[in-house]
Every structure is written in C-alpha cells, then in structure tokens.
Amino acid sequence: MLLVEDTSTTGASTLAAAATVRSEGAHVAGVVRLVDCGGASAITKADMPVRSMLTAADHWSDRHDREPHPHRGRAR
C-alpha cells in the first residue's frame, strides 16, 4: 500500500496511519507527500521510503506578491 499525505511536519500522522494499516495486515510500500514540511527522517526510520512533490520553500516562495486571503489579512 502507498500512503499519500497532503503535507507532513513531524511525520506523526503518517506513522499513525502506517500503524493502522499494518495492524490490518497490509504492507506499506512507501509514502508520497504533496508538500514536505519536515518529518521525513521519522518516516524513513520506520522503514518506509518517502518522496515529496514540493518542499515548503517551493510552495511558499512565490506567494509573497499574491493578493491577501480574505480571512487572513495581508499576504506574506
């Protein structure tokens, strides 16, 4: 089974999901995250390869000049 996460900072939710899947007898072949905000070392220590499509820096680097979100004030 491949676990897919939107983002990960500590890896804790990924490890919890893997534990649940494994308790049902499935093998976790790896983890794919859309945005890497950290936590990869915790996941790899649990014997799961991890790949990310973007890093947090990639995701936020071009956002400084965008219009502010209507509920969050000024864009950073």
Side-chain angles (χ1 to χ4, degrees), residues 20-75:
T20 299
V21 167
R22 288 174 172 164
S23 73
E24 295 296 322
H27 169 73
V28 178
V31 178
V32 173
R33 302 177 302 175
L34 299 180
V35 181
D36 175 7
C37 295
S41 62
I43 297 167
T44 56
K45 284 180 185 176
D47 200 27
M48 293 180 285
V50 60
R51 298 288 182 266
S52 300
M53 297 180 71
L54 297 169
T55 66
D58 295 332
H59 179 68
W60 293 110
S61 66
D62 69 337
R63 299 181 68 82
H64 67 280
D65 61 346
R66 294 192 183 177
E67 292 297 315
H69 188 282
H71 303 294
R72 295 190 187 124
R74 299 231 6 111

Side-chain angles (χ1 to χ4, degrees), residues 3-33:
L3 297 179
V4 179
E5 291 271 5
D6 57 350
T7 186
S8 178
T9 53
T10 65
S13 62
T14 304
L15 296 174
T20 299
V21 167
R22 288 174 172 164
S23 73
E24 295 296 322
H27 169 73
V28 178
V31 178
V32 173
R33 302 177 302 175

